[in-house]
């Protein structure tokens, strides 16, 4: 389902919660922004868990949704990604129509709660060779799958008012599967009306690049473990670091504590320093017996209540970042 991203192969680049206010005084530090995101957004139990964590801590998250988890059997057979045979997906499809019904109810509930619902395209394919037309093809598949989700599982009469407008216009961000991009990506994102991309990796916490009006965010490298070696601030990369991508329940608590310590250190450096936004990424999979989700819960519960901190979605972060001054141009 995932691919490890080695440091040597990376081209390193660079409704708000009540605490998030854009009218900061010039002599005050900016808000310390914390942006938590999830790739895939499929497991319905983790929808419930993540929304509960957010609600308990006044946080808003970003969900990068893989659209194959909205497809019934007929749609799954018809879906065809660029360069792939019909009916293929690297992450599978929805288990059943009941599974889709539960998922779209979670999506709508999260949307109403102020979270970002963003795109992870559809079948989780590596787009490093894709043209702009290829990206647009998969983006359109994702848009249509989300737009028609209630109808396709026999719930047209229960579709919430405003769903179609939400699915067509309110999905404003994208993260590429495997964090793998091509020259065609940004033009396709612009054509689709996306406001931001979150597919980069940066040497540490960094302000986004702005490319033709598109905000390009990057998950940071953060120090972790006894030797403070750098690792991408994402659960899968920690999973590979800790146990070589193999489940190790016996050491789950150790991995949780190491992860929590790394998150806290990365946060403290910015909170006590330049207040560069901190971005951390997760998947809807509880690796190493839930170590990384437990660390996430502890971290959010600790930092989101601090003075001068705003735990926000990517779309909420953009005006707060823009208020700081001229962003870096890509």
């Amino acid at each position: 389902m995932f691919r490890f991203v080695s440091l040597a192969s990376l081209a390193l680049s660079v409704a708000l919660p009540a605490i998030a206010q854009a009218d900061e005084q010039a002599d005050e530090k900016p808000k310390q922004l914390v942006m938590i995101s999830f790739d895939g957004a499929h497991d319905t139990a983790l929808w419930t868990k993540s929304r509960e964590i957010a609600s308990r801590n006044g946080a808003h998250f970003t969900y990068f949704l893989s659209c194959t988890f909205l497809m019934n059997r007929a749609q799954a057979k018809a879906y065809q990604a660029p360069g792939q045979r019909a009916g293929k997906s690297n992450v599978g499809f929805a288990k059943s129509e009941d599974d889709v019904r539960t998922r779209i109810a979670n999506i709508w509930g999260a949307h109403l709660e102020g979270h970002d619902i963003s795109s992870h395209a559809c079948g989780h394919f590596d787009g490093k060779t894709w043209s702009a037309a290829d990206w647009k093809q998969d983006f359109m598949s994702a848009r249509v799958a989300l737009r028609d989700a209630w109808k396709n599982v026999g719930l047209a009469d229960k579709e919430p008012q405003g769903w179609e407008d939400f699915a067509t216009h309110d999905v404003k961000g994208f993260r590429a599967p495997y964090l793998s991009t091509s020259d065609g990506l940004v033009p396709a994102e612009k054509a689709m009306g996306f406001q931001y991309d979150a597919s980069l990796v940066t040497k540490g916490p960094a302000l986004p690049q702005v490319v033709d009006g598109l905000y390009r965010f990057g998950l940071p490298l953060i120090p972790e473990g006894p030797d403070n070696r750098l690792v991408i601030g994402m659960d899968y990369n920690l999973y590979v670091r800790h146990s070589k991508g193999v489940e190790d329940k016996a050491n789950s608590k150790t991995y949780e504590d190491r992860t929590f310590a790394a998150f806290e250190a990365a946060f403290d450096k910015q909170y006590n320093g330049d207040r560069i936004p901190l971005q951390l990424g997760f998947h809807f999979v509880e690796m190493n017996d839930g170590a990384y989700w437990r660390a996430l819960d502890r971290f959010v519960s600790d930092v989101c209540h601090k003075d001068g901190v705003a735990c926000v979605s990517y779309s909420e972060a953009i005006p707060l970042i823009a208020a700081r001054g001229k962003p870096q141009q890509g």
Side-chain angles (χ1 to χ4, degrees):
M1 180 175 180
F2 313 113
R3 178 178 300 172
F4 177 62
V5 185
S6 68
L7 301 185
S9 66
L10 283 170
L12 299 178
S13 55
V14 200
L16 289 175
I19 57 173
Q21 301 293 331
D23 56 349
E24 294 152 348
Q25 299 297 319
D27 59 345
E28 293 179 347
K29 279 191 171 185
K31 294 286 185 185
Q32 176 60 57
L33 305 184
V34 177
M35 291 112 85
I36 304 294
S37 58
F38 302 92
D39 291 7
H42 56 293
D43 187 294
T44 54
L46 294 180
W47 268 108
T48 301
K49 180 179 286 192
S50 63
R51 290 172 63 193
E52 188 278 326
I53 292 171
S55 176
R56 177 160 34 87
N57 295 291
H60 287 159
F61 297 150
T62 301
Y63 297 90
F64 293 104
L65 176 68
S66 295
C67 88
T68 54
F69 297 117
L70 302 176
M71 293 181 176
N72 62 23
R73 184 168 298 179
Q75 292 172 291
K77 289 180 179 178
Y79 166 65
Q80 186 167 11
Q84 304 293 330
R85 60 173 174 78
K88 183 178 180 182
S89 164
N90 279 351
V91 289
F93 295 89
K95 297 176 183 176
S96 65
E97 290 197 349
D98 278 344
D99 182 51
V100 176
R101 293 181 185 111
T102 303
R103 185 166 298 109
I104 56 179
N106 270 300
I107 289 169
W108 187 243
H111 170 66
L112 294 180
E113 291 160 3
H115 301 287
D116 271 11
I117 308 299
S118 290
S119 179
H120 204 42
C122 280
H124 209 274
F125 293 104
D126 186 338
K128 67 177 178 291
T129 64
W130 284 8
S131 66
D134 292 334
W135 285 110
K136 287 173 65 178
Q137 175 185 325
D138 223 42
F139 290 154
M140 283 303 302
S141 294
R143 179 174 290 178
V144 170
L146 184 62
R147 184 195 68 196
D148 297 344
W150 293 81
K151 300 179 183 71
N152 290 334
V153 292
L155 294 180
D157 60 328
K158 292 183 170 56
E159 179 179 301
Q161 184 175 0
W163 175 272
E164 183 173 346
D165 185 66
F166 149 71
T168 305
H169 301 294
D170 288 349
V171 177
K172 292 294 189 182
F174 173 69
R175 175 173 287 150
Y178 311 115
L179 304 179
S180 184
T181 65
S182 72
D183 289 342
L185 177 59
V186 169
E189 289 173 320
K190 291 289 295 178
M192 293 296 294
F194 287 130
Q195 186 180 19
Y196 65 87
D197 174 272
S199 306
L200 301 178
V201 175
T202 58
K203 293 180 179 179
L207 291 169
Q209 301 175 4
V210 182
V211 181
D212 295 331
L214 181 82
Y215 279 72
R216 301 200 72 192
F217 291 91
L219 289 169
L221 297 174
I222 61 174
E224 188 277 336
D227 298 326
N228 283 320
R229 288 193 297 139
L230 296 178
V231 65
I232 297 173
M234 196 172 212
D235 56 359
Y236 179 66
N237 298 81
L238 289 158
Y239 180 51
V240 172
R241 162 73 60 83
H242 292 157
S243 62
K244 296 181 170 45
V246 177
E247 277 295 304
D248 180 9
K249 293 184 178 182
N251 290 299
S252 180
K253 184 62 167 65
T254 298
Y255 302 144
E256 173 193 341
D257 290 343
R258 279 180 54 166
T259 299
F260 176 69
F263 291 169
E264 288 278 303
F267 170 85
D268 288 343
K269 182 177 180 180
Q270 295 308 321
Y271 185 61
N272 298 318
D274 293 334
R275 297 278 177 99
I276 302 299
L278 177 63
Q279 303 166 61
L280 298 172
F282 298 84
H283 293 82
F284 264 31
V285 179
E286 292 188 297
M287 305 167 209
N288 276 335
D289 202 32
Y292 309 107
W293 274 69
R294 293 196 305 274
L296 164 67
D297 194 345
R298 290 169 60 186
F299 176 72
V300 170
S301 298
D302 180 39
V303 305
C304 293
H305 300 280
K306 293 181 182 293
D307 290 339
V309 175
C311 291
V312 296
S313 68
Y314 278 97
S315 63
E316 291 171 333
I318 287 173
L320 298 175
I321 291 170
R324 296 180 64 158
K326 187 176 180 180
Q328 177 183 355
Q329 298 297 314

